[in-house]
Amino acid sequence: SQFHLGMFEIGRPLGKGKFGRVYLARERKSRFVCALKVLYKNEIRNGGVEKQVRREIEIQSNLRHPNILQLYGYFHDAKRIFLILEYAGKGELYKHLQREKRFPEWKAALYISQMALALKFCHKKHVIHRDIKPENILVGIHGELKIADFGWSVHAPSNRRKTMCGTLDYLPPEIVREQWYSGKVDLWSLGVLMYEFLVGQAPFEDSIALTHRRIVRCEYTVPQFVSPEAKDLIMKLLVVDPEKRISLEQVQEHPWIIKYCVEGERASMRKSKPTKV
Ligand SMILES: COc1cccc(-c2nc(Nc3cc(C)[nH]n3)cc3ccccc23)c1
C-alpha cells in the first residue's frame, strides 16, 4: 500500500475507541493533518470483529460526503492496523451534548438536516449505517456533523445479527425482533437522535428488558418544552412499521427543518464569523 507509519508525525492522543487509540497525525511531505486510528490485530481477533473492521474500511473509503468522516487509506504492520481518517476538529458530539444537556431547536434542526443528507447519500449507495447515535458522530471545525464508525454498517437489505454491544436505545423494533430490515432502520435512529438532542436523554432509556419492550411497543412521551413542529417530526420517525416512517426527502421538507434550518444557518454563521463592523 502506498501508506506506511514513517510517513506520519504522530501528535497527541485524541482518545481511546473500543478497539484502539486515535492520534492526531500529520503526513510529513504534504503536512496534511489527519487522525490515525490504531487497532491491535489480536484485540480485533479476540473481539471477533474482523468483518466489522473490513466492512468499515471498505464502506467508509467509498463514501465521500461532507457529513461522513472520510477514510483516506489504511496500512498495517505485524501487530496493528492503521486507519488514516479525516480529522474532525471539535471532537465527539456526545461530549457536546453532555456539556450542554440538550440543544436549542435551531441547532438540533441543523444537525438533523445534516444527518438526513448523509443518510440519503449512504442509502443511495445501498449502505445502511444501523448505529446512528451521538457516540458515533464527530463535529468538524465549522461545527458540522460527521458520521464516523461504520463498523456496524451493512449493505441493505440485511438481517445480520448484531452482537449487542453498547446501548440498545437506538435499535428499531425490526432489529430488536431480528426481522429483515432495510434502510428505514436509520430513520428510526434519526428519530431517537432528534429526541435525544432536544430532550437530553433517549426516548426508550430504561433497564435492558424494559427498553426492549418500550421500543417494540413504541412507548415514549415528549416533554412539553418540545415545540409542536419538532414533536410532529419525532412522531413521524418513531413509527414501528418501517414502511410508515417518513422518508429522508420528507424530513428535509418538514416545517420544523425548514423553519429552524434557515435560522440555524444564520446563527451558526454568527457564531463562527463575528460580523465586521
Ligand atoms: C474517547 O475520546 C476520543 C476518542 C476518539 C477521538 C476523540 C477526538 N477526536 C477528534 N477528532 C477526530 C477523531 C477522528 C477519528 N477524526 N477526527 C477530536 C477531538 C478533540 C478533543 C477531544 C477528543 C477528540 C476522542
Side-chain angles (χ1 to χ4, degrees):
S1 118
Q2 79 259 41
F3 298 110
H4 58 85
L5 194 51
M7 293 168 78
F8 299 94
E9 283 166 345
I10 307 299
R12 75 176 179 89
L14 290 167
K16 252 177 343 63
K18 278 186 291 283
F19 292 98
R21 288 174 175 280
V22 183
Y23 296 87
L24 194 55
R26 184 168 59 193
E27 202 277 322
R28 293 185 198 279
K29 270 211 299 304
S30 62
R31 306 181 69 71
F32 184 80
V33 172
C34 58
L36 210 55
K37 190 172 183 180
V38 185
L39 302 164
Y40 286 88
K41 286 182 179 175
N42 58 14
E43 278 181 24
I44 291 175
R45 224 184 343 270
N46 300 342
V49 287
E50 295 94 332
K51 274 197 313 300
Q52 265 90 308
V53 172
R54 230 184 295 282
R55 226 183 346 250
E56 178 173 357
I57 293 174
E58 180 214 325
I59 287 180
Q60 209 160 342
S61 44
N62 292 319
L63 295 176
R64 303 264 160 94
H65 189 276
N67 299 113
I68 294 176
L69 197 79
Q70 179 99 45
L71 176 70
Y72 301 117
Y74 64 97
F75 54 93
H76 61 94
D77 64 14
K79 290 193 170 33
R80 299 166 293 185
I81 297 172
F82 299 86
L83 304 184
I84 308 162
L85 291 158
E86 176 182 358
Y87 174 60
K90 289 193 172 154
E92 298 171 287
L93 178 65
Y94 87 91
K95 281 189 188 148
H96 293 259
L97 185 53
Q98 255 171 11
R99 200 178 312 126
E100 298 174 42
K101 300 289 171 254
R102 53 194 175 92
F103 295 139
E105 297 220 351
W106 67 265
K107 185 182 278 194
L110 203 54
Y111 283 170
I112 293 302
S113 171
Q114 290 170 7
M115 295 302 291
L117 284 172
L119 289 174
K120 205 155 88 176
F121 179 82
C122 288
H123 292 182
K124 210 166 56 202
K125 307 249 177 175
H126 305 295
V127 170
I128 41 181
H129 189 281
R130 290 197 314 171
D131 213 4
I132 300 296
K133 57 187 176 193
E135 290 76 2
N136 290 341
I137 300 171
L138 291 167
V139 186
I141 199 68
H142 301 299
E144 73 282 14
L145 296 193
K146 304 234 176 215
I147 303 182
D149 199 353
F150 276 73
W152 289 109
S153 52
V154 287
H155 283 94
S158 154
N159 73 336
R160 224 183 286 270
R161 273 259 335 126
K162 180 183 164 91
T163 44
M164 303 297 164
C165 71
T167 170
L168 308 174
D169 281 330
Y170 280 72
L171 291 184
E174 60 270 27
I175 291 190
V176 167
R177 288 198 158 111
E178 296 174 23
Q179 290 165 334
W180 281 90
Y181 52 85
S182 69
K184 292 282 189 178
V185 299
D186 288 336
L187 280 151
W188 173 277
S189 306
L190 192 63
V192 176
L193 192 69
M194 176 173 169
Y195 183 102
E196 187 161 357
F197 284 169
L198 293 170
V199 179
Q201 62 181 54
F204 308 107
E205 205 160 289
D206 213 314
S207 69
I208 291 209
L210 280 178
T211 299
H212 260 252
R213 197 170 70 184
R214 293 180 59 198
I215 289 173
V216 296
R217 293 182 183 174
C218 204
E219 283 171 1
Y220 67 95
T221 55
V222 179
Q224 287 304 319
F225 60 78
V226 175
S227 72
E229 297 89 348
K231 181 169 178 175
D232 179 73
L233 181 48
I234 290 172
M235 289 170 64
K236 286 173 177 164
L237 287 165
L238 295 183
V239 173
V240 173
D241 178 353
E243 292 319 305
K244 292 205 174 65
R245 277 172 215 155
I246 191 174
S247 73
L248 287 166
E249 289 72 20
Q250 290 164 316
V251 169
Q252 291 290 335
E253 291 144 19
H254 189 279
W256 183 69
I257 294 288
I258 303 288
K259 167 182 173 185
Y260 281 109
C261 230
V262 173
E263 182 190 318
E265 283 292 337
R266 269 199 224 109
S268 68
M269 290 295 279
R270 267 197 301 277
K271 245 178 66 122
S272 55
K273 284 185 222 75
T275 38
K276 288 184 191 51
V277 286

